[in-house]
Amino acid sequence: MSRLTFEGVGRNFGPVVAVRDFDLTVDQGESVVLLGPSGCGKTTTLRMVAGFERPTWGRIAIGSRTVAGPDVFVQPNQRDVGVVFQSYALWPHMTVAENVGFGLSVRRRRVKGRRSGNVSGRVETALEQVQLPGLGKRYPHELSGGQQQRVALARALITRPRVLLLDEPLSNLDTRLREDMRLEIRRLQREFKITMIYITHDRTEALALADRIVTLNKGQIQQVGPPEHLYRVPHSRFVALSLGPANFLPGVVHTAGHSPTVRLDTGQLIKATADAGAADQQGETVTVCVRPPDLVPRPLDGPMDAWSGLVRDAVYLGDEVHYLIDVPALPEPVRVVDRGENTLQRGTRVALEVRENTASVLVDGAATSLPRGLATVGT
């Protein structure tokens, strides 16, 4: 079994708490992405699994074996964990084949009845798996960035680790290579049923690679769940903005429950979605989250009302247009992503409509510290 378990794990660096009360179970063959801004505890958590950091408190287990806990600490080379670093960490004086086979040479273990001394066949297979056949004799400096990242991935996979850890491995690649490598990593993870923890601050990577996303802020878990649920039903502004642009609209619960109706301060009555702890009582003041693609702008011919405004800015991006719309009744401009054929010009008067069953009520509607750089995404 390669299930990974965290029980109340924490890590201090002097007076600074880097990770606090981390509880999580990663099932065998599951891909979990830790998502959050710099300094939120992602890398520290990954390093504790790898054995590069020792938890200050709590327990970590791989399968039924405790690898870190009170009076227990298994060394990194005995944990059967593969790690792919952001910097690739390839040996420049070794060929691609030597880099990939390095782990097997060190471990000298048997796999399926064969000695790992037969490294060349395993290396060749590993390179084929990451679509680099025939490049074993090259050196890292002779490869592109994407190829070097594939070599690092092959090196981690060749030992068939029980858990694969990836520390922002695509951040040094250009946009097209990142897209290709995301697909490649997800394909390999699913094909070989690898238990994987992937850390990133990039929402696109998180949505594309995760069976479940764990959002972190200041060392604490904010929300855990499948990508679609966290995107559609975030519990807080922090979680919402971690997964993309969002509008936060004040309102009052009209009918309570899991599918409440909320009357916005603009007067519009909408049907929303709510997790436990949100929209529990009729008359409760709440904050509703609406994603920019879920707002429909329509040119307004008649007089303006509380749910209409003026187009402040319009950015054409090919298959969609991003708008910033000033609505007098709201404290902040509204962000809209429209996939219509006609671009609305600046200064156009528009009426806004919330698409049915797309809004959600925040559990924590109060303002929280936002991931750096995400509060203004979307224009």
Side-chain angles (χ1 to χ4, degrees), residues 123-135:
V123 168
E124 208 171 300
T125 300
L127 289 175
E128 289 175 356
Q129 289 171 347
V130 297
Q131 300 180 7
L132 292 177
L135 299 186

Side-chain angles (χ1 to χ4, degrees), residues 233-235 253 260 262 272-275 278-279 286-289 359-364:
V233 194
H235 285 178
V253 176
V262 177
T273 302
D275 276 347
V286 295
T287 299
V288 174
C289 175
S360 64
V361 179
L362 302 184
V363 174
D364 178 11

